[in-house]
Amino acid sequence: MDLDDTVKLEIYGRLALSGTAPTATDVAHALALAPDEVTAAFARLHQRRLLVPEPGDPSRIRMAPPFSGVETPFRVQAGGTTYFANCVWDALGIPAALHRDAAVDARDGHTGEPMRLEVKHGAAVPTPCVIHFAVPAARWWTDIVYT
Amino acid sequence: MLLFRSEENVSAWCRERSLPRQPLVTLDQLWHLALTWYENRLTVESRRPAASEMVSIFASIGLTGPFWDPNADAWASTG
């Protein structure tokens, strides 16, 4: 396994366990690496679209999809841990990645009405809702934070 | 992408922003995408699907056309 995959597994393992994204310093300490090596791995993982560093601070993680490194309007509860997702797709992506049941608390994009989605026994529980993609696939990574 | 209770709420959201309403996705379709993208995300083998794979994945659940094509020139040229 190469360095980037090792860093990737450390990031995702920590996120799955705690819901909190590690910094490059955290990952470096865990893997006995130099922080600069880890920050460089963050950049390469970004090129592979597996991670988005925090704008202005390449040693911090804004997104490791489906997980968010910051609080968002998409809160996911699974296995007693709280996670934040980048969007409604990623909110379902967290139980998919964890292979766990989950409850997603979000809000209607127009009215702000609280909405809950649930995943039980490996499937999304039918809920009256629709999902709107405002940005076409060709532009998703033009501004992934907006998307 | 955003979650809405109804199609009417999507239309109102788009109207307020003078944005075109794009194709809607159902919860079942989104769950399929979540599984396809992320069910092995915690493993060493995980990777984002390639553009050609994405087109096939979207088509398999009825999402077709340039909006769902990561290489669609009509969108990319202005993106």
Side-chain angles (χ1 to χ4, degrees):
Chain A
M1 189 161 59
D2 67 16
L3 173 65
D4 292 355
D5 282 335
T6 302
V7 169
K8 178 185 75 174
L9 287 184
E10 180 67 20
I11 293 166
Y12 278 96
R14 282 174 175 249
L15 274 162
L17 197 63
S18 69
T20 302
T23 65
T25 302
D26 295 333
V27 174
H29 186 259
L31 300 177
L33 296 168
D36 285 353
E37 286 181 277
V38 176
T39 300
F42 282 9
R44 291 189 295 272
L45 290 169
H46 182 215
Q47 289 170 354
R48 291 166 58 188
R49 298 185 172 178
L50 292 171
L51 181 152
V52 180
E54 185 65 39
D57 186 351
S59 71
R60 303 186 76 85
I61 295 169
R62 177 62 169 268
M63 300 177 177
F67 302 99
S68 171
V70 298
E71 290 194 16
T72 71
F74 299 95
R75 180 187 295 260
V76 181
Q77 301 279 349
T81 300
T82 299
Y83 304 88
F84 290 95
N86 305 298
C87 62
V88 63
W89 181 348
D90 285 359
L92 295 182
I94 289 175
L98 298 174
H99 301 273
R100 279 183 178 273
D101 291 351
V104 175
D105 287 310
R107 290 183 179 275
D108 179 286
H110 176 60
T111 66
E113 169 202 351
M115 295 178 65
R116 170 166 278 204
L117 304 178
E118 291 183 287
V119 172
K120 288 185 178 175
H121 310 302
V125 176
T127 304
C129 67
V130 291
I131 296 92
H132 181 252
F133 284 62
V135 180
R139 290 190 195 155
W140 286 348
W141 279 77
T142 302
D143 183 354
I144 191 62
V145 174
Y146 174 74
T147 299
Chain B
M1 62 280 326
L2 289 174
L3 177 69
F4 295 88
R5 179 65 75 191
S6 66
E7 292 191 30
E8 291 73 21
N9 289 0
V10 175
S11 296
W13 183 87
C14 292
R15 227 176 9 253
E16 280 186 358
R17 289 159 182 77
S18 300
L19 292 172
R21 197 176 109 165
Q22 304 293 1
L24 299 179
V25 173
T26 68
L27 186 58
D28 279 348
Q29 288 172 317
L30 195 70
W31 176 241
H32 179 87
L33 293 177
L35 281 173
T36 305
W37 248 250
Y38 294 124
E39 68 179 340
N40 73 345
R41 185 48 59 102
L42 303 185
T43 70
V44 68
E45 295 83 12
S46 72
R47 63 177 179 81
R48 190 171 189 267
S52 59
E53 294 170 319
M54 288 169 65
V55 171
S56 298
I57 293 164
F58 293 139
S60 74
I61 54 172
L63 303 176
T64 58
F67 187 87
W68 298 104
D69 182 352
N71 292 324
D73 291 339
W75 301 107
S77 62
T78 55

